[in-house]
Amino acid sequence: MTWPGIIERYRAHLPVTRKTPVVTLLEGNTPLLHSPALSERAGRGIAVYLKCEGLNPTGSFKDRGMTLAISKAVEAGSVAVLCASTGNTSASASAYAARAGLRSIVLIPSGAIALGKLSQALIHNASVAAVDANFDACLAIARSMAQQHRVTLVNSVNPHRIEGQKTCAFEICDVLGRAPDLHLTPVGNAGNITAQWKGYTEYFRLRKISRLPVMLGFQAQGAAPLVLGRIIKQPHTVATAIRIGNPASWQGAVTAAAQSHGGIRAVTDREILHAYRLLAREDGVFAEPASAASVAGLLKLAGQGFFKRVKRPAGRPLTIVCILTGHGLKDPERAVKSVRAPALLAPSISAICKAVGLR
Ligand SMILES: *Cc1c(COP(=O)(O)O)cnc(C)c1O
Protein backbone atom coordinates (compact mmCIF):
# COMPACT_ATOMS: atom_id res chain seq x y z
CA MET A 1 0.00 0.00 0.00
CA THR A 2 1.33 3.46 -0.74
CA TRP A 3 1.34 5.81 2.21
CA PRO A 4 -1.80 8.00 2.17
CA GLY A 5 -0.68 10.81 4.50
CA ILE A 6 -1.48 11.15 8.19
CA ILE A 7 -5.17 12.06 7.90
CA GLU A 8 -6.12 8.90 5.97
CA ARG A 9 -3.78 6.70 7.98
CA TYR A 10 -5.04 7.90 11.38
CA ARG A 11 -8.52 9.08 10.38
CA ALA A 12 -10.21 7.31 13.31
CA HIS A 13 -8.14 9.37 15.76
CA LEU A 14 -8.57 12.77 14.12
CA PRO A 15 -11.41 15.34 14.04
CA VAL A 16 -12.36 14.73 10.40
CA THR A 17 -15.52 13.51 8.74
CA ARG A 18 -16.21 12.16 5.25
CA LYS A 19 -16.99 15.76 4.30
CA THR A 20 -13.58 17.10 5.29
CA PRO A 21 -11.56 17.83 2.13
CA VAL A 22 -8.17 16.23 2.73
CA VAL A 23 -5.33 18.55 1.76
CA THR A 24 -2.20 16.42 1.89
CA LEU A 25 1.34 16.31 0.55
CA LEU A 26 1.64 12.75 1.93
CA GLU A 27 3.34 13.88 5.13
CA GLY A 28 4.26 11.44 7.92
CA ASN A 29 5.65 7.89 7.77
CA THR A 30 9.08 9.34 8.52
CA PRO A 31 12.00 7.00 9.27
CA LEU A 32 12.61 5.77 12.81
CA LEU A 33 16.31 5.21 12.39
CA HIS A 34 18.38 3.19 14.83
CA SER A 35 21.61 4.99 15.74
CA PRO A 36 24.45 2.61 16.64
CA ALA A 37 26.76 5.56 17.36
CA LEU A 38 24.41 7.30 19.79
CA SER A 39 23.37 4.00 21.38
CA GLU A 40 26.99 3.35 22.21
CA ARG A 41 27.49 6.86 23.56
CA ALA A 42 24.34 6.56 25.68
CA GLY A 43 25.62 3.42 27.41
CA ARG A 44 25.38 -0.36 27.57
CA GLY A 45 21.95 -1.87 27.01
CA ILE A 46 20.50 1.27 25.43
CA ALA A 47 18.97 1.52 21.95
CA VAL A 48 18.67 5.04 20.55
CA TYR A 49 16.39 5.80 17.62
CA LEU A 50 16.10 9.00 15.61
CA LYS A 51 12.65 10.03 14.38
CA CYS A 52 13.64 11.91 11.24
CA GLU A 53 10.90 14.50 10.90
CA GLY A 54 13.01 16.50 8.46
CA LEU A 55 11.89 13.99 5.83
CA ASN A 56 8.37 15.42 5.78
CA PRO A 57 7.32 17.19 2.54
CA THR A 58 8.44 20.68 3.56
CA GLY A 59 11.26 19.44 5.76
CA SER A 60 9.82 19.57 9.28
CA PHE A 61 7.21 18.00 11.58
CA LYS A 62 5.00 21.08 11.07
CA ASP A 63 3.48 19.29 8.04
CA ARG A 64 1.68 16.82 10.32
CA GLY A 65 -0.24 19.62 11.94
CA MET A 66 -0.58 21.68 8.80
CA THR A 67 -2.32 19.01 6.70
CA LEU A 68 -5.11 18.99 9.28
CA ALA A 69 -5.18 22.73 9.97
CA ILE A 70 -5.43 23.53 6.25
CA SER A 71 -7.98 20.79 5.57
CA LYS A 72 -10.18 22.13 8.38
CA ALA A 73 -9.71 25.70 7.15
CA VAL A 74 -10.95 24.67 3.69
CA GLU A 75 -13.85 22.78 5.25
CA ALA A 76 -14.79 25.92 7.19
CA GLY A 77 -14.79 28.00 4.00
CA SER A 78 -11.64 29.99 4.78
CA VAL A 79 -9.85 31.69 1.89
CA ALA A 80 -6.67 32.80 3.67
CA VAL A 81 -4.40 31.49 6.41
CA LEU A 82 -2.03 33.40 8.65
CA CYS A 83 0.87 32.49 10.91
CA ALA A 84 3.80 33.93 12.81
CA SER A 85 6.84 31.77 12.35
CA THR A 86 10.46 31.10 13.19
CA GLY A 87 10.48 29.64 9.67
CA ASN A 88 9.16 26.11 9.46
CA THR A 89 5.54 26.95 10.19
CA SER A 90 5.58 29.50 7.37
CA ALA A 91 7.23 27.00 5.00
CA SER A 92 4.59 24.40 5.79
CA ALA A 93 1.60 26.77 5.85
CA SER A 94 2.52 28.32 2.51
CA ALA A 95 3.00 24.93 0.83
CA TYR A 96 -0.29 23.45 2.09
CA ALA A 97 -2.12 26.69 1.35
CA ALA A 98 -0.76 26.60 -2.21
CA ARG A 99 -1.98 23.04 -2.55
CA ALA A 100 -5.43 24.02 -1.31
CA GLY A 101 -5.67 27.22 -3.37
CA LEU A 102 -5.71 29.44 -0.27
CA ARG A 103 -3.83 32.67 0.31
CA SER A 104 -1.12 32.53 2.94
CA ILE A 105 0.24 35.38 5.01
CA VAL A 106 3.29 34.90 7.19
CA LEU A 107 4.88 37.11 9.83
CA ILE A 108 8.54 36.42 10.38
CA PRO A 109 10.97 37.99 12.84
CA SER A 110 13.26 39.91 10.50
CA GLY A 111 16.78 38.50 10.21
CA ALA A 112 16.01 35.62 12.57
CA ILE A 113 14.91 32.87 10.23
CA ALA A 114 17.03 30.46 8.23
CA LEU A 115 17.40 31.17 4.52
CA GLY A 116 15.96 27.83 3.36
CA LYS A 117 12.74 28.46 5.24
CA LEU A 118 12.35 31.97 3.90
CA SER A 119 12.92 30.68 0.36
CA GLN A 120 10.10 28.18 0.85
CA ALA A 121 7.54 30.77 1.94
CA LEU A 122 8.55 33.03 -0.95
CA ILE A 123 8.43 30.38 -3.68
CA HIS A 124 5.06 29.09 -2.44
CA ASN A 125 3.79 32.62 -2.97
CA ALA A 126 3.07 33.59 0.62
CA SER A 127 2.64 37.26 1.47
CA VAL A 128 5.69 37.58 3.68
CA ALA A 129 5.85 40.34 6.30
CA ALA A 130 9.35 40.62 7.74
CA VAL A 131 8.71 42.28 11.09
CA ASP A 132 11.25 44.11 13.21
CA ALA A 133 10.37 42.12 16.34
CA ASN A 134 10.99 38.66 17.80
CA PHE A 135 8.76 35.60 17.35
CA ASP A 136 6.70 36.15 20.49
CA ALA A 137 5.75 39.67 19.37
CA CYS A 138 4.94 38.39 15.86
CA LEU A 139 2.63 35.75 17.31
CA ALA A 140 0.81 38.33 19.45
CA ILE A 141 0.26 40.46 16.33
CA ALA A 142 -0.92 37.47 14.29
CA ARG A 143 -3.43 36.56 17.00
CA SER A 144 -4.89 40.07 16.91
CA MET A 145 -4.98 40.10 13.11
CA ALA A 146 -6.87 36.79 13.09
CA GLN A 147 -9.51 38.30 15.38
CA GLN A 148 -9.96 41.38 13.21
CA HIS A 149 -9.86 39.81 9.74
CA ARG A 150 -11.29 36.82 7.93
CA VAL A 151 -8.15 34.72 8.07
CA THR A 152 -7.49 31.41 9.82
CA LEU A 153 -4.59 31.36 12.27
CA VAL A 154 -2.51 28.21 11.71
CA ASN A 155 0.02 28.54 14.52
CA SER A 156 -0.02 25.71 17.05
CA VAL A 157 -2.58 27.65 19.11
CA ASN A 158 -4.90 26.24 16.42
CA PRO A 159 -6.00 22.95 18.04
CA HIS A 160 -5.97 21.12 14.69
CA ARG A 161 -2.20 21.56 14.58
CA ILE A 162 -1.84 19.66 17.85
CA GLU A 163 -4.22 16.95 16.65
CA GLY A 164 -2.18 16.37 13.49
CA GLN A 165 1.15 16.46 15.27
CA LYS A 166 0.15 13.77 17.76
CA THR A 167 0.49 11.25 14.89
CA CYS A 168 4.26 11.35 15.38
CA ALA A 169 3.75 9.44 18.64
CA PHE A 170 1.37 7.00 16.91
CA GLU A 171 3.97 6.21 14.25
CA ILE A 172 6.71 5.60 16.82
CA CYS A 173 4.48 3.16 18.74
CA ASP A 174 3.31 1.44 15.55
CA VAL A 175 6.91 0.81 14.46
CA LEU A 176 8.32 -0.21 17.85
CA GLY A 177 5.25 -2.21 18.85
CA ARG A 178 5.26 -0.23 22.11
CA ALA A 179 6.05 3.25 23.39
CA PRO A 180 9.72 4.06 23.86
CA ASP A 181 10.94 4.20 27.47
CA LEU A 182 12.13 7.76 27.00
CA HIS A 183 11.04 10.34 24.44
CA LEU A 184 13.43 13.26 23.93
CA THR A 185 12.33 16.30 21.95
CA PRO A 186 13.32 19.91 21.28
CA VAL A 187 10.92 22.48 22.75
CA GLY A 188 10.19 25.97 21.45
CA ASN A 189 6.58 27.10 21.42
CA ALA A 190 5.83 23.73 23.06
CA GLY A 191 3.05 22.63 20.71
CA ASN A 192 4.96 19.56 19.66
CA ILE A 193 5.68 18.08 23.09
CA THR A 194 2.04 18.77 23.96
CA ALA A 195 0.91 16.94 20.82
CA GLN A 196 3.28 14.01 21.27
CA TRP A 197 2.11 13.44 24.83
CA LYS A 198 -1.50 13.60 23.65
CA GLY A 199 -0.69 10.93 21.06
CA TYR A 200 0.87 8.59 23.61
CA THR A 201 -1.92 9.03 26.15
CA GLU A 202 -4.58 8.38 23.51
CA TYR A 203 -2.85 5.17 22.40
CA PHE A 204 -2.56 4.18 26.06
CA ARG A 205 -6.27 4.69 26.66
CA LEU A 206 -7.06 2.64 23.56
CA ARG A 207 -4.72 -0.06 24.92
CA LYS A 208 -2.54 0.07 21.85
CA ILE A 209 0.38 0.53 24.24
CA SER A 210 0.61 -0.73 27.82
CA ARG A 211 3.13 1.82 29.15
CA LEU A 212 3.73 5.51 28.62
CA PRO A 213 7.14 7.02 27.90
CA VAL A 214 9.01 9.49 30.09
CA MET A 215 8.91 12.81 28.21
CA LEU A 216 12.06 14.94 28.26
CA GLY A 217 11.95 18.29 26.50
CA PHE A 218 15.01 20.38 25.70
CA GLN A 219 15.16 24.14 25.30
CA ALA A 220 18.19 26.21 24.34
CA GLN A 221 19.85 27.77 27.37
CA GLY A 222 19.26 31.34 26.15
CA ALA A 223 15.62 30.59 25.36
CA ALA A 224 14.52 28.40 28.24
CA PRO A 225 11.41 29.97 29.81
CA LEU A 226 10.00 26.58 30.80
CA VAL A 227 13.20 25.66 32.62
CA LEU A 228 13.46 29.01 34.40
CA GLY A 229 9.72 29.27 35.03
CA ARG A 230 9.44 32.76 33.60
CA ILE A 231 9.00 34.55 30.28
CA ILE A 232 12.27 35.47 28.54
CA LYS A 233 11.94 38.90 26.92
CA GLN A 234 14.95 38.61 24.60
CA PRO A 235 15.53 34.93 23.89
CA HIS A 236 18.74 34.07 22.04
CA THR A 237 20.18 30.88 20.55
CA VAL A 238 21.71 29.70 17.28
CA ALA A 239 18.77 27.28 17.06
CA THR A 240 16.37 29.80 15.52
CA ALA A 241 13.43 27.36 15.38
CA ILE A 242 13.33 27.30 19.19
CA ARG A 243 14.21 30.94 19.85
CA ILE A 244 11.00 31.55 21.78
CA GLY A 245 10.61 33.30 25.11
CA ASN A 246 6.92 32.82 25.87
CA PRO A 247 5.68 29.42 24.63
CA ALA A 248 2.01 29.35 23.61
CA SER A 249 1.62 25.76 24.86
CA TRP A 250 3.39 26.43 28.16
CA GLN A 251 0.84 24.47 30.18
CA GLY A 252 0.83 21.55 27.75
CA ALA A 253 4.59 21.14 28.10
CA VAL A 254 4.48 21.36 31.90
CA THR A 255 1.68 18.78 31.99
CA ALA A 256 3.50 16.37 29.65
CA ALA A 257 6.64 16.61 31.77
CA ALA A 258 4.80 16.21 35.08
CA GLN A 259 2.40 13.42 34.12
CA SER A 260 5.15 11.37 32.47
CA HIS A 261 7.62 11.90 35.34
CA GLY A 262 9.94 13.62 32.88
CA GLY A 263 11.03 17.23 32.68
CA ILE A 264 12.07 20.21 30.59
CA ARG A 265 15.78 20.97 30.62
CA ALA A 266 18.22 23.32 28.95
CA VAL A 267 21.15 22.63 26.63
CA THR A 268 23.71 25.25 25.60
CA ASP A 269 24.30 26.37 22.02
CA ARG A 270 27.68 24.70 22.25
CA GLU A 271 26.06 21.40 23.17
CA ILE A 272 23.48 21.83 20.41
CA LEU A 273 26.12 22.48 17.75
CA HIS A 274 28.25 19.59 18.99
CA ALA A 275 25.26 17.24 18.64
CA TYR A 276 24.46 18.78 15.24
CA ARG A 277 27.91 17.96 13.88
CA LEU A 278 27.98 14.53 15.54
CA LEU A 279 24.68 13.52 13.90
CA ALA A 280 26.02 14.51 10.51
CA ARG A 281 29.42 12.87 10.97
CA GLU A 282 28.58 9.65 12.77
CA ASP A 283 25.04 8.91 11.64
CA GLY A 284 24.86 10.51 8.20
CA VAL A 285 21.85 12.50 9.36
CA PHE A 286 21.66 16.20 8.59
CA ALA A 287 19.20 17.84 10.97
CA GLU A 288 18.83 21.55 11.63
CA PRO A 289 20.39 22.98 14.82
CA ALA A 290 17.10 23.16 16.78
CA SER A 291 16.53 19.48 16.04
CA ALA A 292 19.87 18.58 17.54
CA ALA A 293 18.67 19.84 20.93
CA SER A 294 17.15 16.41 21.61
CA VAL A 295 20.47 14.69 20.90
CA ALA A 296 22.35 17.33 22.88
CA GLY A 297 20.02 16.44 25.74
CA LEU A 298 20.72 12.74 25.28
CA LEU A 299 24.48 13.27 25.43
CA LYS A 300 24.19 15.58 28.42
CA LEU A 301 22.06 13.09 30.36
CA ALA A 302 24.44 10.27 29.46
CA GLY A 303 27.34 12.36 30.77
CA GLN A 304 25.47 12.91 34.03
CA GLY A 305 24.87 9.17 34.49
CA PHE A 306 21.13 9.74 34.19
CA PHE A 307 20.44 6.52 32.26
CA LYS A 308 22.21 4.43 34.90
CA ARG A 309 19.59 5.53 37.40
CA VAL A 310 16.62 4.80 35.12
CA LYS A 311 14.76 1.57 35.78
CA ARG A 312 15.68 -0.93 33.03
CA PRO A 313 13.11 -3.04 31.23
CA ALA A 314 13.64 -6.80 31.54
CA GLY A 315 14.86 -8.73 28.52
CA ARG A 316 15.30 -5.84 26.10
CA PRO A 317 17.33 -2.66 25.76
CA LEU A 318 16.20 0.64 27.24
CA THR A 319 14.61 2.34 24.24
CA ILE A 320 15.14 6.06 23.66
CA VAL A 321 13.65 8.05 20.79
CA CYS A 322 15.12 11.44 19.90
CA ILE A 323 12.92 13.59 17.70
CA LEU A 324 14.81 15.34 14.92
CA THR A 325 12.29 18.04 14.11
CA GLY A 326 13.64 19.58 10.88
CA HIS A 327 16.06 19.09 8.00
CA GLY A 328 19.61 20.41 8.02
CA LEU A 329 19.26 21.87 4.52
CA LYS A 330 16.92 24.47 5.98
CA ASP A 331 19.95 26.32 7.29
CA PRO A 332 22.96 25.64 5.05
CA GLU A 333 24.71 28.79 6.25
CA ARG A 334 24.92 27.39 9.75
CA ALA A 335 26.41 24.14 8.44
CA VAL A 336 29.12 25.94 6.51
CA LYS A 337 29.87 28.16 9.52
CA SER A 338 30.17 25.12 11.79
CA VAL A 339 33.11 23.56 10.00
CA ARG A 340 36.36 24.74 8.45
CA ALA A 341 35.72 26.23 4.99
CA PRO A 342 37.71 24.61 2.15
CA ALA A 343 40.71 26.53 0.82
CA LEU A 344 40.77 27.57 -2.84
CA LEU A 345 43.27 25.39 -4.72
CA ALA A 346 45.02 25.53 -8.05
CA PRO A 347 43.82 22.83 -10.52
CA SER A 348 46.84 20.69 -9.77
CA ILE A 349 46.55 17.02 -8.84
CA SER A 350 49.39 17.21 -6.37
CA ALA A 351 48.06 20.31 -4.64
CA ILE A 352 44.57 18.77 -4.38
CA CYS A 353 45.87 15.41 -3.12
CA LYS A 354 47.91 17.21 -0.49
CA ALA A 355 44.91 19.30 0.61
CA VAL A 356 42.55 16.30 0.94
CA GLY A 357 45.15 14.13 2.66
CA LEU A 358 45.84 11.60 -0.10
CA ARG A 359 49.42 10.59 -0.68
C1 LIG B 1 8.75 24.39 15.34
C2 LIG B 1 10.05 23.70 15.57
C3 LIG B 1 10.49 23.31 16.84
C4 LIG B 1 9.74 23.65 18.08
O1 LIG B 1 8.49 23.01 18.17
P1 LIG B 1 7.41 23.59 19.17
O2 LIG B 1 6.18 22.86 18.86
O3 LIG B 1 7.31 25.06 18.85
O4 LIG B 1 7.94 23.36 20.54
C5 LIG B 1 11.67 22.63 16.96
N1 LIG B 1 12.42 22.33 15.89
C6 LIG B 1 12.04 22.68 14.64
C7 LIG B 1 12.92 22.33 13.50
C8 LIG B 1 10.84 23.37 14.44
O5 LIG B 1 10.50 23.73 13.21
Side-chain angles (χ1 to χ4, degrees):
M1 191 189 75
T2 60
W3 178 259
I6 63 112
I7 294 181
E8 292 303 351
R9 172 64 183 81
Y10 294 109
R11 176 174 276 277
H13 307 276
L14 296 171
V16 290
T17 68
R18 284 288 150 203
K19 287 203 204 99
T20 311
V22 176
V23 181
T24 180
L25 294 167
L26 306 186
E27 60 296 314
N29 196 26
T30 56
L32 187 67
L33 184 67
H34 178 248
S35 168
L38 289 173
S39 299
E40 195 180 317
R41 283 174 186 270
R44 197 188 276 276
I46 298 179
V48 176
Y49 292 85
L50 304 169
K51 180 65 169 162
C52 301
E53 290 288 275
L55 276 78
N56 275 299
T58 78
S60 84
F61 73 84
K62 301 296 198 298
D63 295 343
R64 293 180 184 276
M66 209 54 76
T67 180
L68 192 63
I70 299 290
S71 296
K72 296 300 282 187
V74 174
E75 185 178 11
S78 179
V79 295
V81 297
L82 167 71
C83 67
S85 179
T86 58
N88 282 330
T89 300
S90 62
S92 187
S94 56
Y96 282 81
R99 183 82 185 181
L102 303 182
R103 253 197 91 190
S104 60
I105 304 166
V106 309
L107 272 51
I108 56 167
S110 172
I113 88 166
L115 187 61
K117 304 174 188 182
L118 179 61
S119 73
Q120 288 176 287
L122 293 171
I123 202 72
H124 290 305
N125 201 29
S127 303
V128 177
V131 184
D132 185 16
N134 65 24
F135 169 82
D136 301 286
C138 288
L139 180 57
I141 294 168
R143 292 175 97 146
S144 300
M145 286 171 67
Q147 280 173 357
Q148 292 163 15
H149 298 271
R150 290 176 48 89
V151 292
T152 303
L153 188 65
V154 293
N155 280 103
S156 57
V157 293
N158 178 327
H160 300 309
R161 283 276 311 278
I162 305 290
E163 288 298 311
Q165 284 169 211
K166 76 188 178 188
T167 60
C168 179
F170 293 168
E171 285 180 15
I172 292 168
C173 296
D174 289 345
V175 169
L176 292 177
R178 65 169 76 86
D181 298 299
L182 293 106
H183 174 110
L184 276 57
T185 189
V187 174
N189 216 18
N192 212 26
I193 191 169
T194 301
Q196 291 156 355
W197 181 238
K198 189 165 197 284
Y200 286 122
T201 53
E202 287 185 12
Y203 253 29
F204 184 75
R205 262 182 247 123
L206 293 167
R207 298 175 189 260
K208 285 182 175 275
I209 52 174
S210 57
R211 289 192 43 208
L212 288 161
V214 172
M215 303 290 288
L216 292 163
F218 294 93
Q219 299 200 290
Q221 186 109 60
L226 294 165
V227 180
L228 299 175
R230 58 178 168 81
I231 293 169
I232 308 297
K233 287 237 169 63
Q234 301 293 347
H236 59 87
T237 166
V238 294
T240 50
I242 54 173
R243 186 188 286 166
I244 293 175
N246 185 13
S249 297
W250 190 301
Q251 195 49 52
V254 170
T255 301
Q259 289 184 347
S260 74
H261 309 289
I264 313 288
R265 303 180 177 216
V267 285
T268 64
D269 279 4
R270 217 187 139 87
E271 290 165 333
I272 288 173
L273 291 176
H274 173 70
Y276 169 70
R277 283 187 298 263
L278 205 70
L279 273 169
R281 288 180 188 188
E282 294 191 348
D283 270 315
V285 174
F286 190 19
E288 69 170 277
S291 301
S294 57
V295 173
L298 174 89
L299 297 172
K300 189 165 192 161
L301 292 178
Q304 293 169 345
F306 179 89
F307 302 123
K308 296 203 180 96
R309 301 191 294 272
V310 171
K311 188 163 170 280
R312 294 302 179 97
R316 62 171 178 86
L318 184 79
T319 306
I320 303 177
V321 170
C322 293
I323 307 295
L324 298 181
T325 43
H327 203 288
L329 286 172
K330 295 273 190 173
D331 195 354
E333 290 172 310
R334 173 56 59 189
V336 174
K337 259 190 243 165
S338 303
V339 296
R340 196 147 32 89
L344 184 64
L345 302 172
S348 126
I349 293 174
S350 65
I352 294 169
C353 285
K354 186 156 175 262
V356 299
L358 278 183
R359 35 186 196 143

